[in-house]
């Protein structure tokens, strides 16, 4: 990690050494502008407070060693923050027509997620993930990218605060040190198709390829997808990916709904129906009717299309298949939302203020 970070900092260190040499060769009055330039350069490079930057430069005799010391302190502080909850952040998607990668990287606050350095990090990791080959797949689900393999890949953020090629692991650590927050690469997936195309939809997107919620799916075409038919497929795929984000399907079709999910919902519906005081035969009919509606709500193909509820997703695929004179199906689908499944820390600010006042 130190070697990679040192390589990325070569330009900055060279400038520091040159400025520091000039600063030490003049009187304190004459070198004031050089010292100001050193403070400015180190502040921009590390993101550290001006007070800390100036104090360390003075401590190091206005030498370039201050840069190394600041980085060391920043990385040490980042390691101490690794246990703090990081439930904000961004999802980044990189794709071509046949393959897509989706990555979630977390921060502690939305403020850091809006930082251009953090956004560069997310985009760079997604592009690296798209090239990753270590993954394991499952029916109707995306391929899971091995995080250790992904962290070993090289990235170049091309950002003033982090220049040069480093590993994904080191880039995440550097951004954590610069932003002062716990930054984590949480998960990464890859989705591909051999006979169709991959479609995506990004919701609440601050920049192309970034979002807080994303949907990915593959449209598979019987016999492959000729170029002249790809436009229709792209439009259909984008619409269905948007539907995926909005409707949150859990299973591809009613046949894919697991018995565990059905039994759990049946028990809940039965408990609710029994409170009506109606006969058991009526309760059973109520439960089965509501269970059918539940399946229609969680099975992708059975869902009513969010743009036009007179159609179902299956109906849309049937219409496209008829138009292309080829069977078009959904192969895999995946919906990802920032922070889902992470237990967030809920603070009682009123209690904190009261405690400080007492």
């Amino acid at each position: 990690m130190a070697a990679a970070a040192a390589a990325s900092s070569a330009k900055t260190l060279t400038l520091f050494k040159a400025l520091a040499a000039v600063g030490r060769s003049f009187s304190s009055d004459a070198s004031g502008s050089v010292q100001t330039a050193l403070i400015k350069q180190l502040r921009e490079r590390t993101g550290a407070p001006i007070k800390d930057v100036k104090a360390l430069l003075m401590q190091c005799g206005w030498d370039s060693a201050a840069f190394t010391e600041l980085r060391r302190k920043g990385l040490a502080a980042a390691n101490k923050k690794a246990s703090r909850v990081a439930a904000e952040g961004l999802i980044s998607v990189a794709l071509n027509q046949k393959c897509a990668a989706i990555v979630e990287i977390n921060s502690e606050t939305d403020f850091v997620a809006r930082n251009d350095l953090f956004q560069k990090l997310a985009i760079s990791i997604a592009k690296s993930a798209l090239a990753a080959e270590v993954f394991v797949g499952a029916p109707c689900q995306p391929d899971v990218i091995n995080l250790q393999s992904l962290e070993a890949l090289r990235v170049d953020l091309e950002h003033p605060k982090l220049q040069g090629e480093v590993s994904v692991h080191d880039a995440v650590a550097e951004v954590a040190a610069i932003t002062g927050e716990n930054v984590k690469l949480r998960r990464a997936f890859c989705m591909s198709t051999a006979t169709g195309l991959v479609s995506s939809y990004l919701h609440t997107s601050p920049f192309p390829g970034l979002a807080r919620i994303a949907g990915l799916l593959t449209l598979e075409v019987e016999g492959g997808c000729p170029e002249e038919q790809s436009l229709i497929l792209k439009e259909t795929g984008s619409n269905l990916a948007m539907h995926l984000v909005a409707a949150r399907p859990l299973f591809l079709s009613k046949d894919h709904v697991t018995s565990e999910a059905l039994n759990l919902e049946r028990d809940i519906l039965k408990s609710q129906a029994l409170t009506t005081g109606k006969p058991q035969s009526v309760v059973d009919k109520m439960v089965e009717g509501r269970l059918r509606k539940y399946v229609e709500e969680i099975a992708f193909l059975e869902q009513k299309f969010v743009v036009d509820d007179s159609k179902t997703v299956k109906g849309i695929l049937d219409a496209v298949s008829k138009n292309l004179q080829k069977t078009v199906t959904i192969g895999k689908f995946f919906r990802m939302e920032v922070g889902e499944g992470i237990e967030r820390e809920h603070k009682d600010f009123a209690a904190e203020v009261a405690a400080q006042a007492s």
Side-chain angles (χ1 to χ4, degrees), residues 18-35 61-62:
L19 287 172
V22 173
R24 289 193 299 269
S25 64
F26 291 95
S27 67
S28 58
D29 291 336
S31 63
S33 60
V34 176
Q35 292 175 356
W62 300 92

Side-chain angles (χ1 to χ4, degrees), residues 1-10 71 154 165-167 170 174:
M1 177 174 174
S8 70
S9 307
R71 282 194 62 259
R154 312 289 290 180
E165 192 178 84
V166 296
S167 69
D170 289 354
E174 291 283 356

Side-chain angles (χ1 to χ4, degrees), residues 122-310:
I123 291 171
S124 297
I125 293 176
K127 289 179 179 178
S128 294
L130 186 61
E133 297 180 354
V134 183
F135 49 80
V136 290
C140 303
Q141 295 295 317
D143 301 321
V144 181
I145 295 177
N146 182 288
L147 286 186
Q148 287 185 334
S149 299
L150 179 56
E151 288 178 333
L153 297 178
R154 312 289 290 180
V155 292
D156 186 350
L157 270 58
E158 298 179 351
H159 190 280
K161 291 184 178 179
L162 189 56
Q163 299 172 354
E165 192 178 84
V166 296
S167 69
V168 168
H169 176 274
D170 289 354
V172 171
E174 291 283 356
V175 171
I178 292 171
T179 60
E181 287 198 6
N182 182 19
V183 175
K184 285 187 175 181
L185 172 59
R186 185 186 180 200
R187 49 184 175 165
F189 302 89
C190 183
M191 188 177 288
S192 61
T193 174
T195 62
L197 55 80
V198 180
S199 295
S200 67
Y201 174 75
L202 304 179
H203 186 68
T204 316
S205 177
F207 192 81
L210 298 173
R212 286 190 58 82
I213 308 174
L216 284 178
L217 60 84
T218 64
L219 288 182
E220 308 293 345
V221 184
E222 184 182 25
C225 175
E227 185 63 32
E228 62 270 15
Q229 296 179 335
S230 63
L231 188 60
I232 298 174
L233 278 179
K234 286 179 182 178
E235 183 179 355
T236 302
S238 296
N239 288 336
L240 292 181
M242 177 182 65
H243 170 95
L244 167 61
V245 167
R248 300 169 178 253
L250 301 178
F251 302 94
L252 179 58
S253 70
K254 60 183 179 182
D255 296 330
H256 287 86
V257 180
T258 63
S259 57
E260 289 82 3
L262 288 174
N263 291 335
L264 178 61
E265 187 65 18
R266 184 180 283 110
D267 289 342
I268 294 172
L269 294 174
K270 189 173 183 180
S271 298
Q272 294 173 344
L274 286 173
T275 61
T276 63
K278 294 181 179 180
Q280 185 63 46
S281 59
V282 176
V283 167
D284 291 342
K285 290 181 180 179
M286 289 172 60
V287 169
E288 292 308 311
R290 291 175 181 176
L291 196 61
R292 284 193 296 272
K293 184 178 180 182
Y294 170 72
V295 170
E296 291 174 358
E297 291 174 348
I298 64 171
F300 202 167
L301 296 180
E302 321 302 326
Q303 288 179 333
K304 293 182 178 179
F305 186 40
V306 292
V307 176
D308 183 355
D309 61 10
S310 67

Side-chain angles (χ1 to χ4, degrees), residues 51 93 286:
K51 182 178 70 173
V93 175
M286 289 172 60

